[in-house]
Amino acid sequence: MNDFVNQFWNWYVILFVLVSIIACGVLLWMQSVPTGGKGDTTGHVWDETLEEYNNPLPKWWMWLFYITVIFGLVYCAFYPALGSFQGMLGWSSSGQLTKELAKADEQTKPLYDKYMKMDLRTLAADKEGNETGKRLYLTYCMQCHGADARGSKGFPNLADHDWQWGGEPEAIVQTISAGRVGMMPPHAQIGAETIKDLANYVRSLSGLPADSLRVAKGQEAFNSVGCSGCHGPDAKGMQALGAPNLTDKIWLYGSAESSIIETITKGRTNQMPAWKDFLGEEKVHVLAAYVLSLSTGSK
Ligand code: HEC
Ligand code: HEC
């Protein structure tokens, strides 16, 4: 119920509502009283001879309006309509949404029970399951990963075969349930020249044009400054840390030398939110199967 900070607004609303309803009634009553004698006209003439009688509105018509006024007053007495007055029935909309959601969950429960009994790969190949998954995806995931799940800068593509955190069923469930925080530390301290060497080396790994002298120096630095500790000595990444494979043509932040330099200099921190508490295990299961289906092509 409304909690007004002071009584002024409470009474303001009550008066406003009551005066409006009563004013409607008074206006009606004024319209129903004849203002002239029987057979008088308003003085308007159309088409030379057509005149308008000055008669009140028909009785049955007026009564319909009176009934709406009475209904309004009765409604205000029973339901919350007057300031912070609860209404004589004590009805309230609070908790209604929770009740309705609980009811909806009750109805879909048998379906989710069935999905929970299917392992993720089987569910990923199930047409009906994927339709449910897609609906959930479009409600909860699309804002960040895109309607087609192909992602955008900083938001990974979920429809490819490249996985930052792992594409095994358990890894996907873990990602969605508990969320992930990807942390690439800033490396400004190693100096702009070394960073440029590294950027050239990283570009060369996926076959992009690079300065060969810098590539050689960058390769050395990759191990000596500790990049290999997270991205692996072969730069193929490490899913346990969310460190991306740097040898493929898939980029989270872009392949331009300037983007790579920015990544190395300033670092990157990125977060996938956790969903288990909000969506529950069943929905996470269905979503994980849907994500799996996107890359296995069994849509
Ligand atoms: C607020 C934005 C946001 C929303 C909403 C979001 N994600 Fe993510 N998601 C991310 C980010 C950012 C990452 C990458 C995290 C990182 O870089 O470590 C990510 C990563 C992932 C990954 C890991 C990809 C890989 O290559 O390992 C999966 C799977 C995923 N999200 C699925 C989902 C699903 C399913 C939903 C809907 C329930 C969802 N996401 C909703 C931002 C979001
Ligand atoms: C502590 C572990 C760690 C170290 C050390 C580290 N990285 Fe990273 N790096 C990551 C993680 C995690 C990400 C992904 C960040 C995200 O999720 O947004 C990343 C992202 C990147 C990217 C972006 C890839 C893309 O697809 O856009 C590049 C490039 C990169 N690192 C290069 C390097 C280089 C070069 C070094 C050495 C100077 C280095 N990293 C050191 C963990 C690390």
Side-chain angles (χ1 to χ4, degrees):
M1 201 55 233
N2 324 349
D3 292 316
F4 293 116
V5 273
N6 67 42
Q7 285 300 311
F8 172 77
W9 290 110
N10 183 26
W11 286 107
Y12 177 84
V13 172
I14 293 178
L15 275 175
F16 197 87
V17 173
L18 289 180
V19 168
S20 305
I21 297 178
I22 290 165
C24 286
V26 171
L27 186 70
L28 279 169
W29 177 75
M30 280 161 59
Q31 295 298 310
S32 66
V33 180
T35 49
K38 203 168 165 53
D40 280 357
T41 69
T42 57
H44 299 155
V45 183
W46 290 274
D47 288 343
E48 294 172 7
T49 56
L50 203 56
E51 293 182 272
E52 182 188 357
Y53 281 121
N54 184 13
N55 283 345
L57 291 163
K59 282 255 160 28
W60 64 270
W61 181 255
M62 297 305 294
W63 274 109
L64 272 185
F65 279 119
Y66 283 129
I67 288 170
T68 61
V69 169
I70 294 164
F71 175 85
L73 291 171
V74 171
Y75 183 93
C76 290
F78 284 109
Y79 288 96
L82 299 172
S84 55
F85 174 56
Q86 284 270 333
M88 278 147 67
L89 292 182
W91 181 89
S92 163
S93 65
S94 86
Q96 204 184 6
L97 181 69
T98 327
K99 262 186 252 160
E100 279 171 19
L101 286 178
K103 204 170 141 206
D105 279 348
E106 196 61 37
Q107 282 165 353
T108 50
K109 196 174 177 300
L111 194 63
Y112 281 105
D113 282 350
K114 186 180 98 184
Y115 293 151
M116 281 309 275
K117 288 199 194 92
M118 296 162 81
D119 75 69
L120 227 63
R121 288 195 195 281
T122 316
L123 184 54
D126 185 81
K127 192 161 168 285
E128 189 197 61
N130 280 332
E131 276 165 14
T132 310
K134 182 163 191 176
R135 272 198 296 279
L136 292 171
Y137 176 86
L138 291 177
T139 311
Y140 301 111
C141 322
M142 182 185 83
Q143 313 85 295
C144 290
H145 294 283
D148 58 0
R150 296 193 177 277
S152 58
K153 190 176 172 191
F155 300 107
N157 182 341
L158 304 179
D160 59 13
H161 295 269
D162 179 57
W163 296 95
Q164 198 181 338
W165 295 96
E168 289 304 307
E170 304 73 38
I172 299 177
V173 170
Q174 177 69 16
T175 297
I176 304 173
S177 299
R180 301 280 193 185
V181 179
M183 276 257 300
M184 155 86 194
H187 283 79
Q189 75 282 2
I190 62 178
E193 280 307 305
T194 313
I195 289 176
K196 210 167 164 143
D197 295 342
L198 281 163
N200 275 272
Y201 172 60
V202 169
R203 275 170 63 85
S204 76
L205 290 171
S206 39
L208 293 165
D211 177 333
S212 55
L213 218 67
R214 286 194 182 274
V215 170
K217 284 203 254 173
Q219 180 163 20
E220 223 177 275
F222 196 78
N223 290 308
S224 62
V225 303
C227 314
S228 54
C230 291
H231 291 279
D234 55 0
K236 286 198 190 303
M238 201 176 288
Q239 291 181 344
L241 296 171
N245 182 344
L246 302 177
T247 66
D248 56 19
K249 293 187 170 53
I250 295 165
W251 298 90
L252 195 54
Y253 298 104
S255 63
E257 192 181 311
S258 57
S259 320
I260 302 174
I261 287 178
E262 190 184 327
T263 300
I264 304 173
T265 313
K266 297 187 185 154
R268 303 272 188 188
T269 305
N270 211 5
Q271 183 167 7
M272 156 75 185
W275 294 91
K276 192 170 167 203
D277 289 344
F278 182 68
L279 292 179
E281 205 182 345
E282 289 88 358
K283 287 188 180 132
V284 168
H285 183 72
V286 174
L287 274 165
Y290 176 68
V291 169
L292 194 63
S293 81
L294 293 173
S295 56
T296 49
S298 51
K299 260 177 269 186

